[in-house]
Amino acid sequence: MRRGVLRRFAIRNYRSLREVALEPGDLTVITGANGAGKSNLYRALGLVLAAARGRLAATIVADGGMPSVLWAGDWLKDERRRIEVEVEALDWRFDLVCGLPPPPEGAFALDPYVKAERLTAPDGTKLLERQGPSAWMQARGARGRTTYPAALEPQEAALSQLREPHLYPDVAMAQAQLRRWRFYHHFSTDADSPIRSPQVGTRTPVLAADGRDLAAAFQTILEVGDTRGLADAIDRAFPGAQLHIDRRDGQFATFLHQRGFKRAFAARELSDGTLRYLCLVAALLSPRPSPLLILNEPDQSLHPDLSYPLSESILNAAERSQVIVITHSPLLARLLTSAGATAYDLRLEAGATVAEAVA
């Protein structure tokens, strides 16, 4: 099993996710009907990245704030209204509990309030433990835990507020691994999208979440990445087509030469589906593979025929990264599961999302 790979993810009391747990494989496919909770699960996974990056409050507030993201169904009598997240990787386990700010809430009543947090080694050693405003961490060479000296922001995880990481190497390792998780949900391809226009380019081993640096990401792959894999991914989707990156005065632009045409087509001329497929290829062929890559509805706006080359690119990426694919497409799901992907199907029961493993 890869270092840092996600072994278990559990979320409680988040939107429709009353209590959902997954044990992902190297490649995992998640399906379900509209409204079953697929988007909620994607957002819940995103909370972990937000916690590691110091964006927990901003992420929750952007979704309506704590009152909106808490479990939407009935609560048990005297049950504490809080979201509980559990992430188990190969080298550590991270638990996070956040709820409503205590009164008086003041002007920031939508913020989360981190009530408890814990990072644990596989042997059970506590590397970080937080209760409210105070945290203890396992320092290098220290016997037992030491009180973390910095004041903690109550709306953010202690994991994101780590200072002097050289003193807390195990905590820093977990933080670094989580920060390298990558999420791709939607590539805007309207007429004003930056993907369609030349952009100032810099070396780009990781495609931006919105794909705005597509041309620079492709040029980086061409210089230091899997050029053969890139050519194959494009040829499988558009037989005979070739990618070209135009570079003038520091501006990078994507062009596609297609069979039967005398000139190349600029990104601004390509269809939405073609452009989104190219973004997915750039994300999946990153020269800096992520420990975990999460694709939400990668089939959106793609012609069904593109599911075949897309599945090949996903399978190839799963050799370098753990990949989770959340999809509406029965065809894409079937192509991936037939190749051995772990599969879960989501459904609603009494308003709560249930994740059922598919044999």
Side-chain angles (χ1 to χ4, degrees):
M1 184 172 287
R2 299 187 193 91
R3 182 176 178 82
V5 73
L6 179 63
R7 304 176 71 177
R8 174 179 162 84
F9 173 76
I11 180 80
R12 300 174 186 86
N13 302 327
Y14 178 78
R15 294 188 179 273
S16 69
L17 309 179
R18 180 58 159 162
E19 186 168 3
V20 170
L22 306 175
E23 295 183 0
D26 287 346
L27 173 60
T28 302
V29 179
I30 298 172
T31 58
N34 288 333
K38 295 190 301 299
S39 294
N40 289 341
L41 181 59
Y42 178 78
R43 291 172 177 169
L45 287 161
L47 290 180
V48 182
L49 176 63
R53 289 186 171 178
R55 297 284 300 168
L56 181 64
T59 300
I60 287 178
V61 169
D63 274 346
M66 278 300 298
S68 296
V69 302
L70 282 167
W71 159 242
D74 293 332
W75 292 80
L76 300 176
K77 185 178 180 180
D78 299 328
E79 185 178 4
R80 294 180 178 179
R81 286 165 168 75
R82 52 178 57 185
I83 295 169
E84 301 177 17
V85 182
E86 173 191 327
V87 182
E88 183 180 348
L90 181 62
D91 300 314
W92 43 263
R93 170 175 163 164
F94 179 62
D95 295 272
L96 179 70
V97 179
C98 56
L100 299 166
E105 297 88 346
F108 302 104
L110 300 182
D111 280 359
Y113 184 84
V114 178
K115 298 181 178 294
E117 186 177 354
R118 181 179 296 166
L119 183 70
T120 312
D123 64 1
T125 301
K126 293 179 182 178
L127 306 174
L128 178 158
E129 187 168 23
R130 173 182 183 174
Q131 292 292 336
S134 300
W136 296 262
M137 295 189 190
Q138 181 69 44
R140 183 194 297 272
R143 292 185 178 181
R145 296 170 295 164
T146 57
T147 300
Y148 190 59
L152 296 177
E153 295 290 345
Q155 77 281 9
E156 298 295 345
L159 192 65
S160 70
Q161 301 178 60
L162 177 65
R163 305 293 185 269
E164 299 181 304
H166 62 286
L167 296 180
Y168 311 97
D170 294 318
V171 179
M173 179 194 69
Q175 180 199 59
Q177 289 179 354
L178 286 171
R179 286 182 170 184
R180 290 179 57 213
W181 286 16
R182 295 187 203 138
F183 291 72
Y184 294 99
H185 168 57
H186 177 69
F187 300 107
S188 177
T189 54
D190 58 62
D192 296 325
S193 170
I195 302 174
R196 293 192 176 277
S197 303
Q199 301 289 324
V200 174
T202 184
R203 187 177 294 272
T204 306
V206 178
L207 181 74
D210 62 1
R212 64 175 55 246
D213 47 10
L214 176 64
F218 273 141
Q219 184 61 36
T220 304
I221 294 171
L222 290 171
E223 291 189 5
V224 299
D226 184 2
T227 56
R228 176 63 180 271
L230 175 58
D232 289 346
I234 291 174
D235 186 67
R236 285 195 298 266
F238 316 107
Q242 293 183 329
L243 181 73
H244 171 69
I245 305 302
D246 184 76
R247 310 184 302 280
R248 299 181 187 179
D249 300 324
Q251 298 279 320
F252 287 58
T254 303
F255 284 80
L256 191 65
H257 293 266
Q258 299 188 65
R259 178 184 294 171
F261 294 92
K262 293 184 178 180
R263 68 176 181 87
F265 291 91
R268 66 177 180 275
E269 302 174 283
L270 299 175
S271 71
D272 290 350
T274 297
L275 204 53
R276 286 182 177 139
Y277 176 81
L278 293 177
C279 287
L280 289 166
V281 168
L284 292 165
L285 282 173
S286 168
R288 188 185 295 164
S290 168
L292 179 64
L293 179 63
I294 303 173
L295 307 178
N296 189 33
E297 299 181 20
D299 50 285
Q300 186 181 35
S301 298
L302 297 189
H303 190 279
D305 287 349
L306 288 179
S307 294
Y308 295 92
L310 177 59
S311 68
E312 289 293 327
S313 293
I314 291 173
L315 291 169
N316 290 336
E319 296 294 323
R320 303 180 298 275
S321 301
Q322 186 178 27
V323 182
I324 296 177
V325 179
I326 303 171
T327 180
H328 277 292
S329 169
L331 175 57
L332 180 59
R334 186 170 66 252
L335 291 170
L336 296 177
T337 54
S338 65
T342 300
Y344 285 90
D345 187 62
L346 305 187
R347 67 178 189 278
L348 282 183
E349 288 186 2
T353 296
V354 174
E356 182 179 5
V358 179

